[in-house]
Amino acid sequence: MMRLIEKGLMYGNLFHVNGQAMADRYNRALKHLTGKETTLTDFHVDISGYAPEVGEELEDHLYLNPQGCNRQFILLSTEQKSAPLLEAKFSTSRGILRQFITSNEAQLFALTARDAIAGELVNSVYSVTKPSHLFDIRKIRVEADTTSGVVSDAGKLDSMITEFRSRDDAWWDDVLIADMIKLAHKTGDVTRVPIRLGHTEYEQGNFWTSHFGGLYAFRDVEKPAVISVSDEDLGNLPVGKGGGAIGLHERTKIAKFLEDNDLVEPIVKARGVDAVAILRQKLDFIIVDVAATMEADLNRLRRQDLRSLARRYSELLPVEFHTLAKLLRWAEGGGAWPRISSNDPAYFYTLRSKPHADRDLVNMLLAELSMLDVRQLFICHKELFYSRYRTWPDQKKAFVADFLAREYQVDKAGAREALFGSGDASMEEPPQAEPRDVVDIVGPWGAVRRTR
């Protein structure tokens, strides 16, 4: 995996924790949430504050995600909003964290200037022991505060101020006044600069989860369904016709579900798409997959070299290759229209999601149904990509890593728009924004007054 890390294709865009002071802040939050601490002073965290290095040290990569259903998080900086979410159990978690940080950026910027923030994505389910428990999760509430409890104290002070203003005898209540002064030393003047985190409730509609071997739950569409990656018996589910899940191998049922809900479109008919270039690249990936198993030399391949490999291993090329080749000939204007049914292994290679709210989720599903297209797999389903990558011959690992670094990494947004259409920024972590001036974020007086 070092090849991917070196090329920025794995653990990229993480927030760097460097130095004793910042590590101490992290430890205070970590102990507050888990009772554990790290001895490290140099590590990298994702949007939730999870650090692979700390996970290795603690021998627990779910140290911030117990039971895999109530994600805890540590914020050291609002810059974490641009980081990926590692060890994700739900496809919705990163989006919720990013929205929370963005919606409360000014407040969080000021609070993290002095302390770490510890929080949790809370739902009504505390453990997922049955598949049906997943469908009890409808709303996610974000609870967050500094390790010293500034947000909570600000809420208490605000209530005290309201009481003080509404009571006629409040001027003679020495205890109330003393408590207000004590809290104000911690929070500053909350009447001028309120400390309040808003936008803390989020809906979880359609989602993917890694639980029970992997599930795609589409419950907010016209004809709901659950698509199961594993062959595990999931029992009766409160989604879909008859309450049963569709297996990933039931291709015709999946195709009908996608069509009935108008979720996908053929690549060759999509607007603003160079279908010929996309199909050629899919064919190239299939050729490389076969050639790598035959230990062919894959260094610095040109288009001519790939054609040569296709001829050499023509008898070994799978059905997907031959079907996509027919579609490519039609797209280039030199062949008949091929009839491709859902039973054809190439069927899902020919589709992409239509523009809608669940575009990322549908493209993620399509990537899992067309895993020889390594570029789409990397963009849409990174965890599965990394899992598959570990099983590949070294020749294929080198080719794919070089291709992604050369053709995708240099222009992520452009590549995503070319493949999936405009408006797909959520598929990939955005580049780090330039640091904003403090005055632009919190105003000339600051969001939290310092005590003398």
Side-chain angles (χ1 to χ4, degrees):
M1 309 302 284
M2 284 303 300
R3 186 183 281 117
L4 295 178
I5 296 171
E6 290 168 358
K7 293 181 180 295
L9 298 168
M10 187 177 187
Y11 298 148
N13 213 25
L14 297 179
F15 179 77
H16 189 194
V17 177
N18 186 20
Q20 190 64 53
M22 190 169 286
D24 287 344
R25 288 188 187 180
Y26 185 86
N27 259 335
R28 287 197 298 271
L30 183 60
K31 190 169 185 179
H32 177 80
L33 290 172
T34 70
K36 302 174 183 178
E37 291 183 288
T38 176
T39 60
L40 302 178
T41 58
D42 192 316
F43 50 93
H44 301 78
V45 300
D46 69 0
I47 189 172
S48 74
Y50 160 74
E53 302 97 322
V54 175
E56 287 290 333
E57 181 193 23
L58 299 178
E59 297 183 348
D60 179 11
H61 286 283
L62 292 179
Y63 68 91
L64 284 181
N65 197 12
Q67 306 297 329
C69 64
N70 288 87
R71 186 97 190 200
Q72 297 173 312
F73 62 89
I74 297 171
L75 291 181
L76 299 172
S77 167
T78 54
E79 290 180 26
Q80 285 174 239
K81 71 178 182 180
S82 297
L85 178 65
L86 307 178
E87 300 289 335
K89 296 297 182 183
F90 288 90
S91 60
T92 52
S93 297
R94 182 181 181 272
I96 290 172
L97 281 169
R98 182 171 169 78
Q99 288 179 67
F100 172 72
I101 296 172
T102 302
S103 300
N104 296 283
E105 189 163 2
Q107 296 280 19
L108 294 174
F109 181 89
L111 291 170
T112 54
R114 301 196 304 178
D115 199 358
I117 292 175
E120 184 176 353
L121 304 185
V122 182
N123 60 68
S124 58
V125 176
Y126 298 99
S127 66
V128 181
T129 56
K130 296 180 180 178
S132 58
H133 290 168
L134 292 166
F135 302 93
D136 294 330
I137 303 173
R138 265 292 179 180
K139 284 191 176 181
I140 307 293
R141 187 177 74 258
V142 181
E143 292 184 356
D145 202 344
T146 64
T147 56
S148 57
V150 169
V151 177
S152 176
D153 288 340
K156 293 176 184 176
L157 179 56
D158 192 55
S159 298
M160 289 180 180
I161 292 172
T162 301
E163 180 184 353
F164 182 83
R165 287 172 170 172
S166 61
R167 278 176 47 194
D168 293 336
D169 61 344
W171 280 106
W172 291 272
D173 191 334
D174 293 338
V175 175
L176 176 61
I177 293 172
D179 287 344
M180 288 169 61
I181 293 172
K182 184 178 178 180
L183 286 177
H185 277 292
K186 293 178 64 178
T187 66
D189 186 353
V190 296
T191 60
R192 295 181 60 190
V193 187
I195 302 175
R196 189 178 299 112
L197 298 176
H199 198 79
T200 58
E201 282 202 350
Y202 303 85
E203 293 285 337
Q204 176 155 296
N206 303 325
F207 63 91
W208 166 87
T209 176
S210 65
H211 289 284
F212 305 103
L215 295 176
Y216 294 84
F218 292 89
R219 51 186 178 178
D220 291 344
V221 293
E222 186 176 344
K223 296 184 179 181
V226 175
I227 298 170
S228 173
V229 176
S230 76
D231 295 327
E232 185 176 346
D233 182 9
L234 303 178
N236 192 48
L237 302 175
V239 175
K241 188 176 180 180
I246 300 173
L248 199 67
H249 62 280
E250 298 181 276
R251 300 172 62 84
T252 301
K253 288 184 178 180
I254 295 174
K256 189 174 189 311
F257 160 76
L258 294 172
E259 184 178 348
D260 287 348
N261 290 289
D262 198 27
L263 296 174
V264 294
E265 62 186 357
I267 293 169
V268 293
K269 294 184 179 180
R271 295 179 61 183
V273 166
D274 186 350
V276 169
I278 293 174
L279 290 171
R280 280 179 179 164
Q281 196 62 69
K282 290 177 186 285
L283 289 170
D284 289 348
F285 292 140
I286 297 173
I287 294 169
V288 167
D289 181 70
V290 172
T293 62
M294 302 304 293
E295 300 182 354
D297 184 6
L298 301 180
N299 289 322
R300 299 179 181 178
L301 288 178
R302 299 168 298 171
R303 179 73 58 184
Q304 182 180 352
D305 300 323
L306 286 165
R307 287 198 299 267
S308 177
L309 288 172
R311 288 192 293 268
R312 187 190 310 175
Y313 302 115
S314 59
E315 294 183 359
L316 300 177
L317 292 170
V319 174
E320 292 95 323
F321 180 89
H322 299 293
T323 302
L324 290 175
K326 291 178 183 177
L327 188 60
L328 175 61
R329 285 194 292 273
W330 174 85
E332 290 177 325
W337 170 255
R339 298 183 63 84
I340 305 174
S341 72
S342 57
N343 289 320
D344 192 305
Y347 178 77
F348 293 106
Y349 287 80
T350 68
L351 303 176
R352 75 172 193 176
S353 174
K354 282 189 172 181
H356 49 69
D358 293 305
R359 176 183 289 187
D360 293 357
L361 184 63
V362 172
N363 281 327
M364 186 180 187
L365 172 62
L366 292 174
E368 189 148 6
L369 290 162
S370 53
M371 286 195 283
L372 292 176
D373 185 349
V374 293
R375 177 172 54 181
Q376 178 161 336
L377 191 63
F378 177 78
I379 296 172
C380 302
H381 203 332
K382 280 190 173 57
E383 290 302 319
L384 183 56
F385 172 87
Y386 296 139
S387 175
R388 300 278 295 181
Y389 179 91
R390 292 184 179 94
T391 68
W392 293 342
D394 192 64
Q395 284 276 56
K396 182 175 179 179
K397 289 179 181 179
F399 175 87
V400 172
D402 289 343
F403 171 85
L404 292 173
R406 183 180 66 253
E407 303 290 338
Y408 172 69
Q409 197 79 340
V410 295
D411 184 13
K412 297 178 182 179
R416 291 193 301 275
E417 183 170 351
L419 291 170
F420 309 112
S422 60
D424 282 280
S426 58
M427 282 183 149
E428 183 69 24
E429 299 77 46
Q432 292 277 18
E434 289 295 320
R436 294 166 62 192
D437 187 86
V438 175
V439 173
D440 291 338
I441 296 177
V442 298
W445 299 280
V448 179
R449 291 170 61 110
R450 292 184 178 179
T451 57
R452 292 182 180 178

